[in-house]
Amino acid sequence: MRGFFEVKGRRLSYLDFGGSGAPLLALHGHYNEASAFAPLAEALAPAWRVIALDQRGHGASDRTGSYERDDYVADVAAFHQHVEVGPVAVLGHSLGGVNAYQYAGRYADQVAALIVEDIGAVVDVDWSFTTSLPRHAPSRDALAAALGAAAPYLECSFRQSEDGWGFSFDIDDTVASQKALCGDHWTDWVSVSCPTLLIRGTRSDELAAGHAREMIARRAGQARLVELPAGHVVHHDAQAQFAATVRAFLSGSD
């Protein structure tokens, strides 16, 4: 089910995959949207009910002039309040992972368990891939061909318009968001007090193994690391293993 709510005059969208299970809020990364979590929602059902946000500038949510850290965290807080599920488990990938641990650190009483997928406490984004993306293509197949091996990771955001095929996100907005994501976020990471799972892809070009281990060390006794055979988008590359890892962690956090 798709739902909408407003934050300061802007409309944000989300997908509630339904069911009677315990709620899990999910936050996607750049280039994606809530629908990217459909396979995970299916794998976790019926024990878990995934509710995924189209973050600002993505999916069916409105674009905006600001993509700063506080903006994203405020959106997550408003989303959580809107769905009325009480203290909850939160999962985030990449951009969504930073948003998730910043929300968990700043709203400790609202987050019961945290899962962060392949993003660090210090982020240094290379947006050259973003600026190289085709802005329009004459067909869906042409857009996929232009993306090559990256197409499967972005296809949930493919959209048709009067100009042909493009994305549900704006390329310039994405660069602005990536620039705002960069920085040292250790203060937020170490302030998280709930049980935390950090999932890293062994082939990740975003989260180095040493940095991941340091993240766990600085949260001694409160966080653990699982590495899966995948690139940066672990939930895509190792779908079944990712779901099993999330399920096992959440079952132990009840």
Side-chain angles (χ1 to χ4, degrees), residues 75-231:
D75 288 348
V76 177
F79 169 50
H80 190 180
Q81 183 177 29
H82 175 78
V83 296
E84 298 181 322
V85 292
V88 71
V90 180
L91 178 152
H93 169 239
S94 197
L95 162 72
V98 178
N99 297 346
Y101 71 65
Q102 288 187 324
Y103 179 62
R106 300 176 193 184
Y107 294 82
D109 61 333
Q110 295 299 307
V111 182
L114 173 68
I115 302 162
V116 175
E117 179 188 351
D118 211 74
I119 197 68
V122 177
V123 182
D124 184 13
V125 180
D126 176 2
W127 46 84
S128 60
F129 173 77
T130 308
T131 56
S132 72
L133 290 172
R135 292 181 180 266
H136 298 287
S139 67
R140 184 185 180 94
D141 287 345
L143 180 59
L147 292 171
Y153 299 101
L154 277 70
E155 63 182 354
C156 70
S157 298
F158 287 7
R159 292 291 189 280
Q160 187 175 21
S161 69
E162 294 179 357
D163 298 323
W165 282 81
F167 306 103
S168 59
F169 58 86
D170 179 82
I171 290 172
D172 295 331
D173 285 356
T174 300
V175 171
S177 180
Q178 289 173 322
K179 289 180 178 180
L181 181 63
C182 289
D184 183 328
H185 309 305
W186 277 117
T187 298
D188 289 300
W189 174 255
V190 299
S191 68
V192 176
S193 57
C194 65
T196 301
L197 173 66
L198 177 63
I199 301 177
R200 176 182 175 270
T202 56
R203 302 188 303 274
S204 174
D205 56 2
E206 177 60 44
L207 179 57
H211 185 63
R213 288 193 293 270
E214 184 179 0
M215 291 172 71
I216 300 306
R218 293 206 192 184
R219 294 274 316 282
Q222 294 180 316
R224 63 185 180 91
L225 172 67
V226 171
E227 296 179 296
L228 297 176

Side-chain angles (χ1 to χ4, degrees), residues 32-72:
N32 279 170
E33 54 188 60
S35 63
F37 290 112
L40 179 65
E42 183 177 0
L44 295 181
W48 293 90
R49 167 193 169 198
V50 175
I51 312 171
L53 177 66
D54 278 341
Q55 301 194 83
R56 59 173 53 208
H58 297 78
S61 290
D62 287 345
R63 294 175 182 172
T64 177
S66 179
Y67 293 90
E68 298 298 321
R69 296 283 77 235
D70 289 348
D71 297 322
Y72 276 114

